[in-house]
Amino acid sequence: MKMGREFLDIFTGWAKDYDAFVQGKDAEYADVFKDYHEILVTISDRAGEAVVEFGSGTGNLTTELLKRGKKVYPC
């Protein structure tokens, strides 16, 4: 079973805006996402060697996991 496929169109349309938010390009959300990159790094560092990714985001966490040599398995 694939998780979240019914939301694929929503995530696809939202990805560009989401990336702008997490990169601090929207003043309204700047404080909320000020530590976003550090959070992704911390999660990636704490993850085991293999991670199951169900793909409901923009790929930022997957990118960090791969940078750290983790094996990422899509669902």
Side-chain angles (χ1 to χ4, degrees):
M1 178 177 137
K2 300 283 183 180
M3 294 177 61
R5 295 295 176 204
E6 64 274 15
F7 299 107
L8 188 58
D9 290 340
I10 294 169
F11 287 122
T12 300
W14 188 49
K16 183 179 173 184
D17 293 333
Y18 181 78
D19 279 339
F21 294 150
V22 301
Q23 293 169 7
K25 296 179 182 175
D26 186 306
E28 184 177 355
Y29 294 98
D31 286 342
V32 174
F33 289 106
K34 69 180 168 73
D35 296 320
Y36 179 76
H37 182 70
E38 289 76 18
I39 292 168
L40 293 180
V41 168
T42 300
I43 292 168
S44 299
D45 287 343
R46 291 183 182 182
E49 292 303 313
V51 178
V52 175
E53 170 63 79
F54 55 89
S56 65
T58 60
N60 296 323
L61 179 57
T62 299
T63 299
E64 290 301 323
L65 291 164
L66 292 172
K67 283 181 188 176
R68 283 158 183 72
K70 309 295 180 169
K71 208 163 197 66
V72 179
Y73 295 96
C75 246

